[in-house]
Amino acid sequence: QLQASGGGLVQPGGSLRLSCEVPGFTKGYHAIGWFRQAPGEERRGVSCLSSGGGSTYYADSVKGRFTISKDNAKNTVYLQMNSLKPEETAVYYCATASRSFASIRAIYTAVNYDYWGQGTQVTVSS
C-alpha cells in the first residue's frame, strides 16, 4: 500500500508539500497520480507523473500552482501545492497505474489506477 503524508491545516494562499512513498512492489508502474476527494464528491485527478519522470500532467484548476516531482533515491513522489484555496480542502490520495492511458482524460480517472495510498487530509481555512 502506498503511504501518503504531508497534509494539514493551511491558510488560504499558503503552501503544503505532500509526499507519497512507493513500496518496492509497485516499481513496475506506468505512472503515479495524485487525486483529491472532498466530502460528498467523487475522487478527481489533480496531477500525474510518468514513471520515467518525463511527462507531467495537471488538472486545469491547479496548473501554475501545483508541481509534481519524484525522488528516485527515496522512492517518493511529491506534490508541491502553492496558493491553496478553501475549495481545495479534501483528502488527497496518491495512486499508481500499471498500464498506459488510452486518453488524456483517462489520466485523471480513478478507475485507471491500481494501487492507492490511504490519503492525507488537506484543510485550507483561515
Side-chain angles (χ1 to χ4, degrees), residues 2-103:
L2 308 181
Q3 185 68 44
S5 61
L9 174 64
V10 63
Q11 292 186 343
S15 299
L16 281 175
R17 188 178 77 160
L18 305 183
S19 300
C20 177
E21 187 174 346
V22 183
F25 76 92
T26 59
K27 285 183 177 178
Y29 58 84
H30 172 71
I32 280 189
W34 283 99
F35 288 74
R36 63 189 179 193
Q37 186 170 22
E41 297 186 6
E42 64 179 3
R43 193 169 296 186
R44 294 190 173 94
V46 173
S47 183
C48 176
L49 175 72
S50 63
S51 60
S55 299
T56 57
Y57 304 87
Y58 298 96
D60 288 342
S61 60
V62 307
K63 282 180 180 176
R65 298 186 298 116
F66 288 15
T67 303
I68 191 170
S69 62
K70 179 181 177 184
D71 186 330
N72 287 329
K74 296 182 179 180
N75 288 330
T76 299
V77 175
Y78 303 99
L79 185 68
Q80 177 67 43
M81 306 186 296
N82 299 328
S83 302
L84 282 162
K85 305 174 182 179
E87 56 265 35
E88 295 181 309
T89 294
V91 178
Y92 283 69
Y93 299 88
C94 58
T96 60
S98 59
R99 299 172 299 278
S100 59
F101 300 108
S103 66

